[in-house]
Amino acid sequence: MLSDQLNMAAAALKTIFTIYSASILFISVTSVLQERRIWNPSPLVPSLSVFGHVRVYCFNVLWMGLTLMGGVLLLPKYFVGKIFGFDCQYEAYLVERFTAEMCFFLFVGARPEIRGMENLPPDDGSIPAPVYVANHASQIDVAVVYFIGRRFKWISKNSVRYLPGVGLIMSLSQHVFIQRTGKNKQSVSNLYQQSNKAIQSGLPMFFFPQGTRRMAVRLPFKDGAFKVALENGSALVPISLEIPHNVWNNWYPLCLLWGGSYEKVVLTIHKPLEVNKDMDREELKKKTYDTIFSVVPLVGEEIKEMKKEK
């Protein structure tokens, strides 16, 4: 009798896992549509080509698939750690980094061009840990920032928790999830509590202060990253991400077969901004904004506005 019940439970788990895994193929379509909307709002930014749609889809399938496999392999350590008082946050970070670099290599470019690595604060667990801040334009951003070689915690919307693979590995890494709409006062409070806790334990936080992705418009920065930096007196490290307009539409990786070239994603690490608790938040926000966009070419609506002014 017990044997039959165990077999039934095993069969049910197998079915659930199969459905959960297969959902990657369908959810990735949603991710393609989201990226498509980002690239289509302005005639000054090229729409995704058919090949571009395929690459975005494969990028997401591989991302979810690799994080799912890595997350499942880490579950035994996670459950044992619940009993003996340890976790698998570092191992989950390694899965994230491997996934990011593999997806980037296969579908975006061999490596990004990284400038200013000497400006990165030392990875020595110093307290308070720094706060990293970058502009946000594409899904590619989430992959390229892992090339800085630093462990950090993300701020992510709560719905990401339910993405197959991605939600699992982010939960194992103990990233910070927030509810961005509706009655979210408690969620925002948790954001600051978890961010402060990470920074005071020597683990940096990474923010995309624009809150959402746009290619054609430079959205303003929200307050969260700057509140955290000011409360903790953390050094604030501005990072500029320059995503080429044809990044999805070029023929990478096929172009490598005939020795073709492609534009690289450029990641620029600026000198850290020293922060003290007496600084004006708006002034710090503006300084960070100006620093980040000082090396990012104007695109979309900004070019249109400049033409109107002329």
Side-chain angles (χ1 to χ4, degrees):
M1 187 67 177
L2 179 59
S3 175
D4 291 341
Q5 291 177 338
L6 290 174
N7 288 335
M8 289 177 62
L13 286 174
K14 183 179 179 180
T15 301
I16 292 171
F17 182 75
T18 301
I19 295 172
Y20 181 71
S21 302
S23 68
I24 291 174
L25 301 176
F26 303 100
I27 293 174
S28 292
V29 174
T30 304
S31 298
V32 172
L33 295 177
Q34 289 175 342
E35 190 76 355
R36 179 181 178 178
R37 284 197 296 269
I38 292 165
W39 290 78
N40 286 356
S42 169
L44 298 173
V45 176
S47 301
L48 288 181
S49 64
V50 173
F51 187 51
H53 282 80
V54 172
R55 288 171 68 192
V56 176
Y57 179 78
C58 293
F59 179 94
N60 281 276
V61 169
L62 184 63
W63 190 290
M64 295 184 202
L66 289 178
T67 52
L68 176 59
M69 288 188 287
V72 169
L73 290 174
L74 289 177
L75 282 177
K77 181 174 182 180
Y78 171 77
F79 288 117
V80 172
K82 283 291 185 181
I83 300 172
F84 295 101
F86 57 84
D87 59 46
C88 55
Q89 289 187 54
Y90 182 72
E91 291 83 356
Y93 156 73
L94 293 179
V95 171
E96 293 171 0
R97 182 173 173 179
F98 172 79
T99 299
E101 293 182 355
M102 183 60 65
C103 289
F104 190 95
F105 172 74
L106 291 176
F107 302 113
V108 182
R111 282 187 65 86
E113 180 180 341
I114 302 178
R115 303 169 181 169
M117 279 294 287
E118 70 277 4
N119 293 325
L120 275 177
D123 187 20
D124 57 5
S126 298
I127 298 173
V131 173
Y132 298 112
V133 176
N135 57 306
H136 201 12
S138 167
Q139 294 177 14
I140 294 169
D141 303 340
V142 181
V144 70
V145 296
Y146 279 94
F147 282 89
I148 68 174
R150 293 290 190 271
R151 184 182 164 206
F152 48 75
K153 284 196 175 186
W154 290 112
I155 302 295
S156 180
K157 59 184 179 181
N158 199 49
S159 58
V160 173
R161 192 193 300 266
Y162 305 105
L163 290 178
V166 177
L168 173 61
I169 205 68
M170 289 188 70
S171 296
L172 293 176
S173 292
Q174 296 186 27
H175 291 292
V176 181
F177 296 95
I178 62 167
Q179 179 181 328
R180 295 205 315 202
T181 58
K183 297 180 179 180
N184 63 347
K185 186 175 181 180
Q186 183 175 352
S187 182
V188 172
S189 175
N190 179 62
L191 181 159
Y192 293 122
Q193 290 177 6
Q194 294 301 316
S195 297
N196 294 342
K197 181 179 177 182
I199 285 173
Q200 292 302 325
S201 68
L203 186 59
M205 292 297 302
F206 201 115
F207 288 82
F208 290 121
Q210 290 167 301
T212 191
R213 295 166 281 164
R214 287 291 185 276
M215 275 300 296
V217 182
R218 292 180 176 178
L219 298 175
F221 285 177
K222 300 180 185 296
D223 291 338
F226 308 97
K227 283 185 177 180
V228 171
L230 287 167
E231 284 183 17
N232 293 279
S234 297
L236 197 150
V237 185
I239 295 177
S240 302
L241 303 177
E242 182 183 340
I243 309 296
H245 292 176
N246 70 338
V247 67
W248 289 124
N249 293 344
N250 63 39
W251 286 96
Y252 182 89
L254 299 180
C255 65
L256 300 180
L257 298 176
W258 57 82
S261 61
Y262 59 92
E263 286 187 81
K264 288 188 176 182
V265 173
V266 180
L267 184 152
T268 303
I269 304 162
H270 300 274
K271 291 182 179 180
L273 304 178
E274 294 300 324
V275 176
N276 63 70
K277 297 182 180 181
D278 298 325
M279 293 180 69
D280 180 74
R281 187 198 311 157
E282 292 302 317
E283 183 180 332
L284 178 62
K285 192 192 304 184
K286 184 179 185 305
K287 187 174 183 180
T288 306
Y289 185 97
D290 291 343
T291 300
I292 287 175
F293 287 110
S294 66
V295 297
V296 179
L298 291 171
V299 295
E301 298 304 322
E302 292 152 332
I303 296 176
K304 192 185 296 183
E305 289 300 318
M306 288 181 69
K307 288 182 177 179
K308 286 181 181 178
E309 292 174 4
K310 291 180 180 179

